[in-house]
Amino acid sequence: MSATPVQTAAPRWLGLWPAAMLTLFFLVPFGIMLAVSVAHRDVSGFYEWSFEWDSYARFLSAFFGKVMAVSISVSLTAAAICVALAFPFTVFLSNMGHRAQTRILVVLLSALALSEVIIGFSLSTLLSQTAGIGNLFHWLGLIDEPRAYTPSLFALITGLCYIGFPFAVLVLYPPVSRLDPEIVEAARVMGASGPRAFFGVIVPNLRGAIVGAFILVFVFTLGSYLLPQLLGRSEHWTLSVHITDQAVYQSNLPFGAAMSVFLMLVALALVGLASLAGRERGAA
Amino acid sequence: MTRALKTTYVLVILALLLAPLVIVAAVSLNGPQSLRFPPVDPSLRWYGELFRQSEWLVPLRHSLVIAACAAALAVAIALPLALYVWERRGIAARALTGMGLAPFALPPVISALGFMIFWMTLGGYGRIYATIISHGIFLVTLPLVTISLGLKGIDRSLIEAARVMGAGRWGVFRTVILPLLIPYMVSGYAFAFVLSLNEYIIAYMVAGFTVETLPIKIFNALRYGYTPILAVVSVIFAALSALIFGLIGRFGNLPRLLGAERSQHD
């Protein structure tokens, strides 16, 4: 082989295997899903190929509007709380020593990896009548009788914050830890107090990253499937729950697929916005 | 803000994150079949019970097999992808990266429904290999990110040196690139393994009725009431995740893996 100066480490054919796998098992399923979303619902439980907009037309119903409104407002609330709590947390974290950072990251990753079913179970135990904080409040004399705080909207939002918080920290962590510590140092030297340096220097410098993280956490909590069932009431069900409900229990694959395509478009648009917001940071 | 105040803030939040798990760990020690806090008649009875009941052992084995194979598949796809994209800027490279990142960025229910319809059409619906492949594709993002990070850190002069000494592509890969990448491949594998273990919706929609994984089993069991055995499983899962991430943190550079550039070993 002649030694060309621009030889790459990986030959061209190496890309074929991942390309084939991702096309077959990722693009093709999406293609089929798109096709099913315009297929005709067969009452026997499946679908027959055709081209009609019936499943999309069902979006226009009042019921679907309400589902979307609940889904979005619950996720927006959770995302706002998560980012508000996670941003100072990440700033403090990134200024700690390597070992402390590693330990805290292990805790965050473990919490993030926990199955939603375990988080839902843990939180409903924590909020339950027999083993939960209701007991603690009763023992402290704050309330007359131990009571349960689940299922409720409060429990659901707590759960979404629980899964969203570690995610928010991990999304914020790279930009925050790359922020030049000298900028903050300079502000302090010029006489800015701690909170002033925080809100006057750190926050504006990372505005794009914060907006990006907010959107990503929003999309992340929007995908929550088990928590609304474990911690919320049926009127709090999110779009994810309705998609599964239609596909698995109502045997209406076309409608499930149509909702899924819709959710994908919303998520893609938002993720695109988030990456734009993240990029803007450099220019700001 | 003073240092003490900052540390307090961080510790309070960590305590809140750990609170539900502490309660569950305590509840798992209940002697009778009830969830009480503080536990009544504390014993390790339910820990032994878990390993005696086949209704829990079968899902546990499914979960472990699926996670081990799916994580291996994810690495097997991510490694060539990362190598291919490493020195290329073209449209093919960008499209491949996008496909590698997309499954993880979208709400998982979308991929889950896509996989479900795909396997129904092709005939793998309800089989364990369908769950393995679906998880493998879904989790490609994690090893892709870690391996790309490893490649970014490789000093080009090392590769040049090996080439000058007469090593071909395969020689350079085997003696220079691969040894430097192994830690990143291992952590990518570990991330994918833990997430597959805890994944619910894809496993459920692809083969939930025939191949029960542990999260599916827990959710099904919740409908029949809460028992201490659920708490036991939760404790074991949380401990396993913490152990694996702890090992990555111990032997690798976790802050750097997660995107920090400043943090160095003390």
Side-chain angles (χ1 to χ4, degrees), chain B residues 11 70 92 125 136 163 176 182 185 211 229 237 245:
Chain B
L11 289 180
Y125 182 66
R163 257 190 216 136
V176 182
I182 289 224
M185 288 163 63
V211 185
I229 213 160
F237 257 50
F245 291 128

Side-chain angles (χ1 to χ4, degrees), chain A residues 100-122:
Chain A
Q101 285 195 35
T102 304
R103 282 186 187 153
I104 293 173
L105 288 171
V106 168
V107 174
L108 290 174
L109 282 172
S110 309
L112 184 64
L114 268 191
S115 181
E116 264 186 57
V117 70
I118 294 178
I119 292 168
F121 167 66
S122 309

Side-chain angles (χ1 to χ4, degrees), chain B residues 187-229:
Chain B
S187 46
Y189 181 90
F191 280 122
F193 181 85
V194 172
L195 274 133
S196 164
L197 218 50
N198 284 288
E199 203 284 329
Y200 177 88
I201 181 86
I202 293 176
Y204 174 68
M205 285 179 80
V206 166
F209 295 110
T210 45
V211 185
E212 235 182 1
T213 61
L214 217 42
I216 298 175
K217 172 69 190 162
I218 299 175
F219 189 61
N220 289 341
L222 281 176
R223 291 183 196 165
Y224 303 110
Y226 291 12
T227 65
I229 213 160

Side-chain angles (χ1 to χ4, degrees), chain A residues 7-12 17 25 85 98 110 113 115 122 124 126 130-131 162 165 173-174 177-178 225 249 256 264, chain B residues 9 13 17 23 35 37 76 84 87-88 110 113 115 163 169 194 198 200 204 226 242 253 255 259-260 262-264:
Chain A
Q7 192 198 33
T8 51
R12 195 169 288 275
W17 152 254
F25 294 112
L85 289 174
H98 181 89
S110 309
S115 181
S122 309
S124 60
L126 186 70
T130 52
Y162 191 96
F165 178 81
Y173 186 62
S177 67
R178 274 172 213 164
Y225 166 72
Y249 298 103
M264 180 174 76
Chain B
Y9 180 76
I13 290 206
L17 280 179
I23 299 277
L35 291 181
F37 185 83
Y84 177 84
E87 296 163 313
R88 290 185 172 82
I110 298 173
L113 187 65
F115 285 133
R163 257 190 216 136
R169 253 178 185 160
V194 172
N198 284 288
Y200 177 88
Y204 174 68
Y226 291 12
N253 188 342
R262 279 194 277 122
S263 185
Q264 296 300 321

Side-chain angles (χ1 to χ4, degrees), chain B residues 118-264:
Chain B
F118 176 75
W119 293 114
M120 275 180 159
T121 313
L122 249 72
Y125 182 66
R127 314 295 283 277
I128 193 165
Y129 71 81
T131 313
I132 291 173
I133 295 177
S134 307
H135 269 186
I137 298 289
F138 177 65
L139 298 170
V140 156
T141 311
L142 300 161
L144 178 61
V145 168
T146 60
I147 294 173
S148 303
L149 207 61
L151 283 171
K152 226 192 271 172
I154 289 181
D155 188 352
R156 307 304 302 238
S157 56
L158 274 178
I159 295 173
E160 275 317 308
R163 257 190 216 136
V164 170
M165 315 251 269
R169 253 178 185 160
W170 171 241
V172 170
F173 176 72
R174 203 169 43 85
T175 56
V176 182
I177 301 179
L178 193 61
L180 289 171
L181 279 190
I182 289 224
Y184 296 92
M185 288 163 63
V186 170
S187 46
Y189 181 90
F191 280 122
F193 181 85
V194 172
L195 274 133
S196 164
L197 218 50
N198 284 288
E199 203 284 329
Y200 177 88
I201 181 86
I202 293 176
Y204 174 68
M205 285 179 80
V206 166
F209 295 110
T210 45
V211 185
E212 235 182 1
T213 61
L214 217 42
I216 298 175
K217 172 69 190 162
I218 299 175
F219 189 61
N220 289 341
L222 281 176
R223 291 183 196 165
Y224 303 110
Y226 291 12
T227 65
I229 213 160
L230 294 168
V232 169
V233 178
S234 306
V235 169
I236 291 177
F237 257 50
L240 191 62
S241 310
L243 176 74
I244 292 175
F245 291 128
L247 286 175
I248 299 180
R250 176 76 185 73
F251 295 105
N253 188 342
L254 198 53
R256 201 179 115 67
L257 268 180
L258 295 171
E261 276 171 0
R262 279 194 277 122
S263 185
Q264 296 300 321

Side-chain angles (χ1 to χ4, degrees), chain A residues 2-239:
Chain A
S2 63
T4 44
V6 284
Q7 192 198 33
T8 51
R12 195 169 288 275
W13 53 261
L14 200 64
L16 287 178
W17 152 254
M21 287 300 279
L22 288 172
T23 305
L24 177 58
F25 294 112
F26 183 67
L27 288 189
V28 170
F30 265 67
I32 301 180
M33 193 168 77
L34 272 177
V36 168
S37 74
V38 292
H40 180 72
R41 184 188 175 192
D42 184 357
V43 208
S44 68
F46 283 100
Y47 49 87
E48 47 194 62
W49 299 116
S50 70
F51 189 87
E52 56 182 36
W53 293 105
D54 290 25
S55 298
Y56 288 93
R58 280 186 68 180
F59 285 177
L60 301 173
S61 68
F63 172 74
F64 186 78
K66 207 175 148 247
V67 167
M68 273 320 279
V70 169
S71 243
I72 287 175
S73 49
V74 165
S75 293
L76 277 179
T77 313
I81 297 174
C82 285
V83 173
L85 289 174
F87 184 69
F89 184 93
T90 316
V91 172
F92 302 156
L93 172 70
S94 68
N95 286 318
M96 292 180 164
H98 181 89
R99 188 173 299 180
Q101 285 195 35
T102 304
R103 282 186 187 153
I104 293 173
L105 288 171
V106 168
V107 174
L108 290 174
L109 282 172
S110 309
L112 184 64
L114 268 191
S115 181
E116 264 186 57
V117 70
I118 294 178
I119 292 168
F121 167 66
S122 309
L123 281 173
S124 60
T125 309
L126 186 70
L127 298 173
S128 72
Q129 197 184 346
T130 52
I133 47 169
N135 259 344
L136 182 70
F137 291 159
H138 173 63
W139 184 75
L140 288 172
L142 293 174
I143 50 177
D144 295 331
E145 280 294 312
R147 54 163 292 199
Y149 293 90
T150 177
S152 68
L153 193 60
F154 164 74
L156 174 59
I157 290 185
T158 309
L160 291 176
C161 287
Y162 191 96
I163 59 168
F165 178 81
F167 185 76
V169 173
L170 293 181
V171 171
L172 284 166
Y173 186 62
V176 167
S177 67
R178 274 172 213 164
L179 182 71
D180 196 345
E182 285 174 16
I183 302 179
V184 186
E185 206 48 53
R188 298 302 294 272
V189 170
M190 313 256 271
S193 64
R196 256 197 88 188
F198 185 84
F199 287 106
V201 179
I202 301 181
V203 173
N205 259 294
L206 291 170
R207 205 179 44 214
I210 295 173
V211 174
F214 175 76
I215 298 174
L216 290 179
V217 175
F218 173 67
V219 172
F220 183 75
T221 52
L222 207 56
S224 167
Y225 166 72
L226 290 170
L227 292 181
Q229 298 180 66
L230 289 170
L231 297 171
R233 299 175 198 282
S234 60
E235 67 262 28
H236 306 139
W237 278 12
T238 54
L239 198 54

